[in-house]
Amino acid sequence: PARHQMCRLRAESARQGQSAFEGGSIFIDGSEKASLSSKLDPYSSQMRYYTADLHLGHENMIGICDRPHDSLESMEEAILDAWHRCLRPEDELYILGDLGGPSTHPDHIRPIIEKCPAAVRWIAGNHDKSSSERVLDEVADFLGDRVEIKTDRADPRDDHPVFLVLDHYPMAGWNRAFH
């Protein structure tokens, strides 16, 4: 099943002695704001995972998105179960918006994020309340609305650094798209 794919990818990468990206920097509005973990041991199993649209506390999402759960509690428990099966303390989880629903109070989200075994970094989505940043400050790193991550990898075609652009919304074009 798809929910086990994340774990299989972790195992495959660990067997090959690889991680997705081994360091780099976070850029917000073109300025370097933070360094990511230093270059990893090539045999480390640290991974960075990306997800979006958890919609914690938003029961209507079960029907709207045809999620296979009978209740909000079941949906949130399934998310926690997946995290605990796949994520490790040395990993990083990037949540690309919509941690909650339009009426979800950040106080509902906080205890769930606190249970995540990995470091959590997130960007805002259209359903995230403005108070979320303050309430989640001690349990997750808020990165803003859009963030660029400069990895320590180079494009083999031209040796330019590889950037990831993270946003809640799909993009037809982005900074450095042609590099």
Side-chain angles (χ1 to χ4, degrees):
R3 69 183 189 175
H4 297 295
Q5 184 175 6
M6 182 166 47
C7 295
R8 282 196 301 272
L9 290 174
R10 164 194 282 288
E12 177 79 15
S13 296
R15 277 194 300 277
Q16 295 174 6
Q18 301 171 349
S19 80
F21 294 100
E22 299 169 341
S25 303
I26 294 178
F27 287 76
I28 300 174
D29 296 329
S31 302
E32 185 171 356
K33 299 295 183 187
S35 291
L36 297 173
S37 53
S38 60
K39 189 159 183 109
L40 299 173
D41 176 337
Y43 300 103
S44 168
S45 62
Q46 182 195 34
M47 300 290 288
R48 292 195 186 119
Y49 293 97
Y50 304 87
T51 190
D53 299 293
L54 297 178
H55 289 280
L56 302 171
H58 189 194
E59 193 161 21
N60 289 341
M61 265 306 146
I62 295 169
I64 293 170
C65 294
D66 197 27
R67 293 184 177 183
H69 306 284
D70 342 4
S71 68
L72 181 61
E73 294 76 20
S74 169
M75 180 179 81
E76 291 173 349
E77 190 59 41
I79 291 169
L80 285 170
D81 181 54
W83 287 352
H84 284 279
R85 279 194 332 272
C86 299
L87 300 174
R88 304 291 178 260
E90 65 270 16
D91 293 335
E92 296 172 342
L93 176 64
Y94 288 80
I95 303 173
L96 308 183
D98 287 359
L99 279 80
S103 61
T104 306
H105 194 277
D107 286 335
H108 178 86
I109 299 167
R110 183 186 174 105
I112 298 169
I113 298 298
E114 284 178 323
K115 293 176 185 173
C116 183
V120 175
R121 294 184 167 149
W122 68 285
I123 63 173
N126 57 308
H127 290 148
D128 293 314
K129 293 183 173 285
S130 59
S131 61
S132 294
E133 178 183 354
R134 181 182 43 76
V135 173
L136 299 175
D137 187 41
E138 293 176 17
V139 297
D141 296 323
F142 178 67
L143 301 176
D145 295 322
R146 174 180 293 161
V147 66
E148 296 177 18
I149 297 177
K150 178 183 178 186
T151 71
D152 66 349
R153 300 257 172 116
D155 186 324
R157 298 169 295 176
D158 57 15
D159 210 33
H160 281 94
V162 174
F163 282 80
L164 300 177
V165 179
L166 307 180
D167 197 303
H168 178 65
Y169 303 98
M171 295 179 283
W174 57 89
N175 189 25
R176 297 183 182 93
F178 300 106
H179 295 280

